[in-house]
Structure formats: structure tokens, C-alpha cells
């Protein structure tokens, strides 16, 4: 269901608004029409679904603040229509408009816009005061929402006694207390310190997961846009130049402008497990026999398999050794040898920044599961690194053994195999390498396109090395997708790398702030 | 009358004179009503201030000072007004105080709404600006004459001259105060669906109050500075005493009446300034 729909909206400041719109429609530029009036918003069309977080991003002067003010009718569009909850607001009387604002749309402001002469509690109750809710009830509601935003007990203070971050929490409580479906946030966190801003962003995301409001968020900070937005509209000089998910904009910018904009974005906060996960192929159902498992490992050239139930619910993993033992003991199925050891699961929406630590402590690819625990993909460590940047040959400290092509997997979808397990080397050492590399790549991350095809770059880099079989010094085994020949390459031993603890944090978290 | 370009003479004064003659006749009913209201108000306040025993009045004034500001001002009030009584200027002072109260009440009642209008509308603001300039810079003696012509001699012309002179800062500072209110806060009111009246009474006026109070303080001080002129128009009180001291070269009376004016001025200034610091906004700031 559409909460807000804008179609071909223009806003021109100046007396000859209609003329300017005509001119713009006839193809003239904004600068040519400057003398007639300033076109702040040009031909903006978008729809925001109910429950969606829609971010409008652009530099100052790009028209984003004007755009948001047309949604609640503070500005009337010069041309075009804005519909809120199915009603065209340009046809409303000022009374209807006021009712719409108090019932449907709440707003959070850049500089908080609190009433300095009222207490925090009275400020939070302001929207309800306009709705003419009785005093005791509205103060009660205000206290509730202050509690929700983490300001319980501050109700009797005045806004001037609070820090900026706390004041904006009051602003947020005031907007939430209005209990509207739509929340407009105009550069709501831009005036805050970076650390506080980050905290507020996290809080908003958390609140949104329970409140499920339609949020329209204005920002000039792309990291913020990418972190908060289900979809993002990028504005430039009054026009919306691209609308898409964070990933669309990051991986497929429409023009140079958007591309240069996204250059510096902190990818680890934007990309999620789902955007870098690969299709799991080294997977077997738990009803299969050990022989089947061994054959499959041979086919897909791995030394371990993830095990699911028939309805693809992840139950654990088995190693080649366990499968061979089970086969020797004549086990009918794999259930007895499944282990959950080392199997870490993440959700598709987990941001990449949170995958590093987990990945570095796990020798097996991270399993991506949905709400029902169903396996929907895997994130091998190398895919994680590769998403940050192309891996250059000079930094190749990962001893990698490429085995062979794998187009013969038992599962029809098998086109790439990613599986790994610690072998001879001690797992901690292997993890240490992974951890260290994660740090290295993350901090070196070059702003190039994110490649979805994981290991290819390594393949292209083609570092020649002695072929080393499974169980050599290689802690990882994986097969790149379009691998042609059987040219295996391995590398120096993991010990060459200074060991960094497996819990080495991914430092990229702070980057975008 | 022929107009000689090289020796120009425009009979502007005569035009005004005839205009005043005309309006005195045309609006005589209205003018006499105005005169009655102002006279009645003055009589009421003068009665209220002068009929109690002077000691009781001093205590009441000191109590007001205490409530508004604190014990220091209360002590000053006790000493100051006792001094006024000792200078034998008590009745004159109460008369002047009554005149100032009436003039200020009416000036404020006119200037605040005008200031609000001027803040809301650029057209009103543009029209008011030269009018206010005119009222402030025109020598008071120049408009005292037509006022005396219209209203005769007494308290009423004194009050009207005082209102005209004291009004402009009230309008100007009210307009400024409301225009200075953070537009984002006003927008917040609008965004949550508040009506214009609600925004004015709950957001703009409270936030503008410290500056508006400064304007009212200016109105009071200007009104007090007009008492001598009011005396010229035949008003009783300290102004009248100063005028008669000039005409009779009575140095003692002039000095005593002048000192009483100063004491009243300091009292009114400190009390109104203290009231300005008690607005909701100032309370919040000092919390």
C-alpha cells in the first residue's frame, strides 16, 4: 500500500512559478529560467510504501528540504500532485491540511525545534496538545515515549539543560507520541556529533523494527542514507537523479554524479550478507547416506558439506573424515555424524560490518539463514574480502588451493562451490590469518565497484604457486565459479602473517562516521 | 492661490489646521467619548493611588517591588517613596503615576497588536514604519498644540500626547520580537497541525516575551519622560509642579518635583525589568 505518492511535482519560488514550470517542461535549464524564479524541485515523482524507510539524499540546495515540506503541505507544489494516504493534499483546505498533519504526519527537525520555555515532558506532549488530548493523558503518553527513546526521568528538565543528542531524542519522542503513520525526518541527525549520530541511527533502526512507520528521511550524508534507507532517492539541482536500494545505487549508479557521491561510502554498513552471499552447493540433506556425501564431496571438490533437512533447514555440517568413518561403520544416514561445531549462521540483513568478526572466528563459510532457519546462502571469507575491494596479488597471504571445475554437483543449481574446513593446520592459526586479512582489506578498501563474483579476481591475479592438495598448509579450499583449468595455486604458510587474534575487530565500522 | 515655482510656499500647516478643525466637528462625538474614557480611567487610578493613607500605599508599592524583584528593590521603594512624601510631592506623584499607568495601558493595548500585525504582514510593517518614525521624531510640543485644541486643557490631552510619544518602541520591539522567534520552532507548530492562533499564543508570544517586555519597559520610561510636557497641557502632577516652578522661578519646587520623577522612574524601570525576567522562557533559561 502506498503511503505517499508524488507525481511530477515542481516547486518554484518566485512570482512566475507557472512560467518557470512551462519552461522546464519545454526543456530549458534551471539557470536559464533563474530570472523568472528559483526552481527548487523539478519533476519529482516517487512512491513510498507503507512501512518503508525512504531516504531523500542530496547536497544542500538540491531541493530535498523543499520536497519534504510539500509532503505535509507546508509548501504547496507549483505543479504536480502529492497524495498522502490516497488523498491529494493540494486540494485540501487549510483546516483539512492541519488535521492531516496532526493525524497522519509527524516531523523531526534538524535543529530539534523544541519549545525552550516548556519542559521536556510538555514538549513531548505537544502533538497531543494540538490533538486536544486531555492534559493528564497526554503527559502520560509523553512519559511513555520519553521512556522509549531512553529519556525516562528527564521529563521535568528544560530542553536547554539537555545535550544535543538528548534534545533530538525529545524531538523524536514528540514525533512518535503523535502516533502518526508517517514520520518525516529533516536532516534529523545532521546537527549531532558523529558518535551521537551513529547512536541515534541505531536507535531509529531499532525503533522502526517494532513501530513499522513510514519514514521519509532527508540527509546529505550518504552513509546515513545507505544505513537507514530501504530505498534512496538521490537529488541533484532539484531533480531526483536516481531512486533505488542502497545496493542499486552503490553498484549501479545512474550517472557520474551519483558515482562520485558513492565513492566514499562505507560499504560494510551498506552491504548485507544477502548482497554478498553465494549459492550454497556443498549441501546435502540429512537423510542421505554417507556414501552419497562422499561422492558429493568428490564431485564438488570440498572436504566438508553443510547439512540441511529436506525442507532446507540447516542442521550442521559434516567433514569428509566423519563421512568416511560413518560409511565404514555402515551408518544409514548422516544424522549421527553431523556436528554443529564451527557452523555460524547470520541473517540476510546482517550488515557486512558484523560479518567480519564472525567470519574470522569460523573456518567454515558463514551460513545465511532466513527466519525459518532455512539455508539460503553462504558467505565464504573470501567473498567478504572481495566485496571490499579487488584483491591484489601482492597482498595474497591466503594459501589457496583451487581444485577444479565444478559443474557436476548433484544439485542442479551447482555452479560454484564454496566450502572450507580446517585441516592439518591448527584452526586458530587459520582464523588468525583470516582475521588479519579482513583488517587489511577493509582498511585498504579501494572505492571500486563491488564485484559479486567472489574469487574471480584472485583467479585473474593468477599468482602461480605449487599446487597443494587438501590437507596441506591450506586452511581454505574453494573453487571459484568460472574456473576453467585445474591450475591450482597455493601460497606461503599462514605463519608468515603476524597472527592477529580471531576476534580482531573489523575497523571499518568507524569509517563512515 | 497661485503657486510660484521659484518662490515656493506650501501651506501645509494650514491644511492640517483645517483638517483638525474639520475632524473636531465631524468626530466630535467620538472625541468626547475618548475624552470621557481617558478622563474616567485617570480619575479611577488617581483615586485608587491617593485615597489610602500614604504609609499604606508605600507598603503596597514596596510589596509589589518585593514580589517582582526582591528585598533590595523593596527597601529602595520604602525609602524612595517616603522621601517623596517628605518632599511634599505625594499627591503630585500619585497624579503622575496615575497618568503614566493610563497612558501605558493604552499604549501597550495598541502597540502589541500592531506589532503582531506588522510581524505577520510585510505590508503593515512597511506602512507602519514611517508613521512610527513620524510619531517618535516629531517634536512633542508641535503636536501638543492641536491636541489641546481638540481636547482642551487637562489630564486628557496630557495622556494623549504621552500615548503618541510612548507608543512606537512598543510596536517596534513587538514586531522585532516575533520576527526573531526561531522559524523552525514555528514550523514545528505548523507541521504538527497547530492553528495560527495556537502558534501565536503558545509559541511566538511566549518566546517573544522577553523582548516584548523590554518594549513595554521603554514605553513606560518614555511615558514618564513626557510628564513635564503633560504638565504644559494642563495636567496636574509633577509635570504641573515643574512648569509652575519655571513660571515662578521657584527653584526649590522644581528640584523637589524633579527628584520625585527620578524616584518613580527608577521604581517603574526596575519593577518592569524584573517582570520581564519572570517570563516562562527566562525561567526555563535559568533552570
Amino acid at each position: 500500500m502506498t503511503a505517499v505518492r508524488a507525481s511530477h511535482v515542481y516547486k518554484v519560488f518566485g512570482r512566475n512559478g507557472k512560467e518557470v514550470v512551462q519552461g522546464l517542461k519545454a526543456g530549458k535549464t534551471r539557470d536559464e529560467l533563474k530570472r523568472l524564479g528559483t526552481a527548487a524541485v523539478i519533476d519529482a515523482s516517487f512512491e513510498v510504501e507503507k512501512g518503508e524507510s525512504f531516504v531523500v539524499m542530496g547536497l544542500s540546495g538540491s531541493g530535498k528540504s523543499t520536497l519534504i515540506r510539500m509532503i505535509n503541505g507546508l509548501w504547496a507544489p507549483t505543479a504536480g500532485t502529492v497524495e498522502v494516504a490516497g488523498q491529494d493534499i493540494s486540494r485540501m483546505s487549510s483546516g483539512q491540511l492541519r488535521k492531516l498533519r496532526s493525524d497522519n504526519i509527524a516531523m523531526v527537525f534538524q535543529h530539534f525545534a523544541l519549545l525552550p520555555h516548556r519542559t521536556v515532558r510538555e514538549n513531548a506532549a505537544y502533538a497531543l496538545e494540538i490533538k486536544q488530548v486531555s492534559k493528564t493523558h497526554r503527559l502520560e503518553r509523553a512519559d511513555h515515549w520519553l521512556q522509549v527513546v531512553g529519556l525516562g526521568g528527564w521529563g521535568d528538565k528544560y530542553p536547554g539543560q539537555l545535550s544535543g543528542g538528548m534534545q533530538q531524542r525529545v524531538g523524536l519522542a514528540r514525533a512518535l507520541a503523535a502516533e502518526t503513520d508517517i514520520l518525516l525526518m529533516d536532516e534529523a541527525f545532521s546537527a549531532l556529533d558523529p558518535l551521537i549520530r551513529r547512536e541515534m541511527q541505531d536507535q531509529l533502526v531499532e525503533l522502526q523494527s517494532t513501530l513499522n512507520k513510514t519514514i521519509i528521511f532527508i540527509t546529505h550524508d550518504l552513509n546515513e542514507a545507505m544505513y537507514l534507507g530501504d530505498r534512496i532517492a538521490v537529488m541533484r539541482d532539484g531533480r531526483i537523479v536516481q531512486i533505488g536500494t542502497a545496493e542499486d545505487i552503490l553498484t549501479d549508479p545512474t550517472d557520474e554524479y551519483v558515482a562520485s557521491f558513492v565513492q566514499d561510502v562505507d560499504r560494510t554498513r551498506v552491504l548485507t550478507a544477502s548482497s554478498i552471499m553465494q549459492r550454497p552447493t556443498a549441501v546435502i540433506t540429512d537423510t542421505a547416506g554417507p556414501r552419497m556425501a562422499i561422492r558429493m564431496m568428490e564431485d564438488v571438490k570440498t572436504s566438508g558439506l553443510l547439512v540441511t533437512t529436506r525442507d532446507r533447514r540447516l542442521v550442521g555440517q559434516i567433514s569428509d573424515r566423519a563421512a568416511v568413518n560413518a560409511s565404514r561403520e555402515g551408518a544409514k544416514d548422516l544424522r549421527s555424524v553431523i556436528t554443529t561445531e564451527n557452523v555460524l549462521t547470520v541473517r540476510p540483513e546482517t550488515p557486512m560490518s558484523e560479518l567480519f568478526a564472525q567470519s574470522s572466528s569460523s573456518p567454515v563459510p558463514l551460513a545465511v539463514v532466513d527466519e525459518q532457519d532455512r539455508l539460503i546462502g553462504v558467505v565464504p571469507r573470501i567473498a567478504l574480502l572481495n566485496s571490499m575491494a579487488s584483491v591484489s596479488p601482492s597482498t595474497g597471504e591466503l594459501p589457496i588451493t583451487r581444485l577444479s571445475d565444478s559443474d557436476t554437483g548433484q544439485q542442479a543449481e551447482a555452479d560454484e562451490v564454496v566450502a572450507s574446513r580446517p585441516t592439518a593446520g591448527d584452526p586458530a592459526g587459520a582464523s588468525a590469518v583470516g582475521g588479519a586479512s579482513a583488517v587489511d582489506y577493509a582498511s585498504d578498501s579501494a572505492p571500486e565497484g563491488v564485484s559479486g563474483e567472489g574469487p574471480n579476481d584472485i583467479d585473474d591475479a593468477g599468482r602461480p604457486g605449487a599446487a597443494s592438495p587438501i590437507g596441506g598448509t591450506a586452511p581454505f579450499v574453494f573453487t571459484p565459479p568460472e574456473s576453467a583449468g585445474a591450475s591450482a595455486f597455493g601460497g606461503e604458510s599462514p605463519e608468515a602473517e603476524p597472527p592477529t587474534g580471531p576476534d580482531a575487530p573489523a575497523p571499518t565500522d568507524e569509517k563512515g562516521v | 492661490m497661485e503657486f510660484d515655482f521659484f518662490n515656493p510656499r506650501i501651506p501645509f500647516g494650514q491644511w492640517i489646521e483645517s483638517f483638525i478643525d474639520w475632524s473636531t466637528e465631524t468626530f466630535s462625538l467620538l472625541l468626547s467619548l475618548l475624552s470621557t474614557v481617558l478622563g474616567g480611567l485617570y480619575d479611577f487610578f488617581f483615586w485608587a493611588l491617593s485615597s489610602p493613607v500614604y504609609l499604606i500605599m508605600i507598603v503596597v508599592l514596596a510589596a509589589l517591588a518585593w514580589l517582582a524583584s526582591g528585598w533590595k528593590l523593596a527597601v529602595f521603594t520604602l525609602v524612595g517613596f517616603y522621601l517623596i512624601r517628605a518632599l511634599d510631592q505625594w499627591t503630585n506623584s500619585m497624579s503622575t503615576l496615575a497618568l503614566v499607568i493610563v497612558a501605558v495601558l493604552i499604549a501597550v493595548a495598541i502597540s502589541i497588536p500592531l506589532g503582531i500585525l506588522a510581524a505577520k504582514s510585510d505590508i503593515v510593517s512597511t506602512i507602519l514604519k514611517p508613521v512610527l518614525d513620524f510619531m517618535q521624531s516629531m517634536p512633542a510640543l508641535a503636536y501638543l498644540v492641536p491636541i489641546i485644541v481638540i481636547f482642551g486643557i487637562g489630564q486628557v490631552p496630557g495622556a494623549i500626547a504621552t500615548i503618541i510619544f510612548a507608543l512606537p518602541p512598543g510596536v517596534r520591539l513587538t514586531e522585532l520580537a516575533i520576527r526573531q522567534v526561531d522559524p523552525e520552532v514555528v514550523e514545528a507548530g505548523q507541521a504538527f497541525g497547530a492553528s495560527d492562533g495556537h502558534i501565536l499564543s503558545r509559541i511566538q508570544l511566549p518566546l517573544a516575551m522577553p523582548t516584548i517586555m523590554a518594549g513595554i519597559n521603554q514605553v513606560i520610561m518614555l511615558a514618564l519622560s513626557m510628564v513635564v510636557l503633560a504638565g504644559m497641557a494642563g495636567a496636574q502632577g509633577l509635570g504641573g509642579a515643574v512648569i509652575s516652578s519655571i513660571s515662578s522661578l521657584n527653584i526649590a519646587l522644581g528640584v523637589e518635583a524633579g527628584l520625585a520623577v527620578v524616584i518613580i522612574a527608577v521604581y517603574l524601570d526596575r519593577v518592569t525589568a524584573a517582570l520581564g525576567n519572570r517570563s516562562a522562557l527566562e525561567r526555563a533559561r535559568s533552570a
Side-chain angles (χ1 to χ4, degrees), chain B residues 88-253:
Chain B
D88 194 25
Q89 294 299 329
W90 183 258
T91 312
N92 281 342
S93 292
M94 291 305 112
S95 167
T96 292
L97 208 49
L99 187 70
V100 167
I101 289 172
V102 171
V104 167
L105 281 181
I106 287 170
V108 168
I110 294 170
S111 65
I112 289 183
L114 272 184
I116 292 170
L117 275 179
K120 299 259 167 198
S121 150
D122 287 340
I123 297 172
V124 175
S125 177
T126 316
I127 293 171
L128 271 181
K129 208 167 184 243
V131 176
L132 296 177
D133 289 340
F134 191 85
M135 287 164 75
Q136 258 184 320
S137 53
M138 187 82 175
L141 280 172
Y143 55 77
L144 198 60
V145 180
I147 289 173
I148 292 172
V149 168
I150 297 171
F151 293 100
I153 300 279
Q155 303 296 342
V156 173
I160 287 179
T162 307
I163 291 167
I164 290 172
F165 185 68
L167 190 87
V171 181
R172 284 186 208 276
L173 282 167
T174 304
E175 177 183 354
L176 178 76
I178 289 180
R179 284 186 186 262
Q180 271 179 341
V181 171
D182 182 357
E184 212 189 37
V185 179
V186 175
E187 197 179 40
Q190 290 167 339
F192 282 103
S195 63
D196 288 349
H198 191 279
I199 289 172
L200 181 67
S201 66
R202 306 293 167 82
I203 298 179
Q204 288 175 313
L205 283 180
L207 294 185
M209 200 43 85
T211 311
I212 292 178
M213 285 306 291
I216 292 175
N217 181 273
Q218 286 302 300
V219 169
I220 292 172
M221 299 317 284
L222 285 181
L224 204 54
S225 73
M226 277 294 284
V227 290
V228 175
L229 225 74
M232 266 184 185
Q236 308 287 305
L238 296 170
V242 172
I243 296 293
S244 74
S245 82
I246 293 173
S247 54
S248 59
L249 289 178
N250 186 341
I251 296 173
L253 178 64

Side-chain angles (χ1 to χ4, degrees), chain A residues 8-25 28-44 62-63 65-67 69-70 74-80 235 237-239:
Chain A
H8 305 290
V9 169
Y10 289 79
K11 179 66 192 179
V12 180
F13 293 103
R15 286 187 193 166
N16 303 312
K18 299 275 179 206
E19 256 175 74
V20 175
V21 171
Q22 292 299 327
L24 288 165
K25 280 182 176 163
K28 290 187 180 164
T29 67
R30 188 157 89 146
D31 288 338
E32 284 169 354
L33 297 163
K34 216 174 208 165
R35 283 188 309 122
L36 289 172
T38 315
V41 174
I42 303 166
D43 198 16
S62 61
S65 287
T66 312
L67 187 65
R69 279 163 178 73
M70 287 193 280
L74 289 176
W75 294 121
T78 312
M235 284 191 83
D237 297 338
R239 292 179 192 273

